[in-house]
Amino acid sequence: MKNVDQNTITQAVLERMGQMPDARLKTIMTSLVQHLHDFARDVALSEKELMQAIQFLTRTGQTCDDKRQEFILLSDVLGLSMLTVAMNNQKPAGCTEATVFGPFFVEDAPKVALGGDVAQGAPGKPCTVSGRIVGTQGQSVGHAQIEVWQADEEGFYDVQRPDLSASQARGSLQGDGDGRFHFKTIVAQAYPIPTDGPVGDLLRATGRHP
Amino acid sequence: MKNVDQNTITQAVLERMGQMPDARLKTIMTSLVQHLHDFARDVALSEKELMQAIQFLTRTGQTCDDKRQEFILLSDVLGLSMLTVAMNNQKPAGCTEATVFGPFFVEDAPKVALGGDVAQGAPGKPCTVSGRIVGTQGQSVGHAQIEVWQADEEGFYDVQRPDLSASQARGSLQGDGDGRFHFKTIVAQAYPIPTDGPVGDLLRATGRHP
């Protein structure tokens, strides 16, 4: 690209993308190029830092496999996942906010009767969970579907245990007509995110605890 | 992350990175998170689009190997490489601007005498190149080192031809005391960037010709 400088390059790139057939893609790419360039100008990105970023993103892609998605982890750590969920699931005041879905949800979890055992042998301290589902005006939400999936006392989900042949600490319940529910399970432990990849390096470099 | 919405999430992420030991990394990450979130808010990024972006970046990383760097290509295509070069190599008015180094430079190219043959058998239409290197005031720059590396008429650099045992269309010359130089070679063809990967998909989707 000739005769461009740090201020004219942004427009030059956008003009090259002028013929974009997909209007939504054009909106996204135009904004992406502008924000990406503004970021690089803001921090006066050095050539060495750009190469470090390229190497980081390459390692991130190459850490992904059929069981691990390191770019989702990066998106989570940068708050992009939560921001996207919040934008797309805006709730009225007083309503429980939406959150990221988490990596270990499974469709068609075993049906569990109200008061039944969700743990199904998962290791951990037994407990009972109960509650009531209400609307923003305090009214009952009857017969709501409740999905439970949790880590055991070792911080593992059932799908992380290749030796298991059936679900554990996972179940699908339905609340009663008054929105009330209760079930037996084990106390869930926080599950550690994988920190042996590039995002783990980033967390350590930025002084954050996984 | 609890009790955050699309407006408070940015500050929440930045507060988690508050203890960053490396001041430069803190500057970069703070700006990155702000611009990344501003981009997502600007375009009201959907959850499906975020997942498409994650899959695109994953494929980009997995297309890289020891001979191919798809993230450098992406950085080039988005104008980020050129912007970074321009910022880090600011030249006075009237001076030839810096440009990206290109992927096929090799250290210690064969020395070629003034007037000599750079092509060394590379296929293409013969030509002669001559010029004079001057400063911004028009003064001669004598004995400057001139590096030549170019694609042949098939659009390949010598390093892309595994059957070659010596350099072709590549050489290092020195201008004379008056800044003048000339050498024989072949007419260079534009070399195609690899378009069989995710960046090729992006170029096609954005209506650009590689």
Side-chain angles (χ1 to χ4, degrees), chain A residues 1-7 9-10 13 16-22 24-25 27-29 31-33 35-47 49-51 54-55 57-58 61-65 69 71-72 75-90 97-99 202 204-209, chain B residues 1-7 9-10 13 16-22 24-25 27-29 31-33 35-47 49-51 54-55 57-58 61-65 69 71-72 75-90 97-99 202 204-209:
Chain A
M1 216 173 267
K2 288 173 70 176
N3 299 318
V4 292
D5 65 22
Q6 66 183 87
N7 298 309
I9 176 86
T10 306
V13 171
R16 284 203 175 192
M17 301 195 304
Q19 301 303 314
M20 230 180 297
D22 180 327
R24 176 64 182 161
L25 186 62
T27 299
I28 290 175
M29 292 304 298
S31 179
L32 178 68
V33 167
H35 283 288
L36 183 67
H37 287 201
D38 285 347
F39 156 68
R41 281 186 286 255
D42 268 5
V43 303
L45 195 68
S46 76
E47 290 163 283
E49 287 161 351
L50 174 60
M51 190 53 63
I54 283 168
Q55 288 164 346
L57 293 171
T58 303
Q62 297 188 339
T63 303
C64 297
D65 58 30
Q69 226 309 344
F71 269 117
I72 291 184
S75 171
D76 293 351
V77 161
L78 295 179
L80 181 61
S81 308
M82 190 63 223
L83 169 58
T84 304
V85 166
M87 278 194 297
N88 288 277
N89 298 277
Q90 295 194 35
E97 69 271 18
T99 189
L202 178 69
R204 281 181 287 276
T206 57
R208 288 167 68 175
H209 302 287
Chain B
M1 218 173 267
K2 288 173 71 176
N3 301 318
V4 293
D5 65 22
Q6 65 183 87
N7 297 308
I9 175 85
T10 307
V13 172
R16 283 206 176 190
M17 301 196 304
Q19 301 303 315
M20 228 179 297
D22 181 325
R24 175 64 181 162
L25 186 62
T27 299
I28 290 175
M29 293 305 298
S31 179
L32 178 69
V33 167
H35 284 287
L36 182 67
H37 288 201
D38 284 348
F39 155 69
R41 280 186 286 255
D42 268 5
V43 303
L45 195 68
S46 75
E47 289 163 282
E49 287 160 352
L50 174 59
M51 191 51 66
I54 284 168
Q55 287 164 348
L57 293 171
T58 303
Q62 295 187 340
T63 302
C64 298
D65 58 30
Q69 225 309 345
F71 269 116
I72 290 183
S75 171
D76 292 351
V77 161
L78 295 179
L80 181 61
S81 308
M82 190 64 221
L83 169 57
T84 305
V85 166
M87 276 193 299
N88 287 277
N89 298 277
Q90 295 194 35
E97 69 272 20
T99 189
L202 178 69
R204 281 181 289 275
T206 56
R208 288 168 66 174
H209 301 287

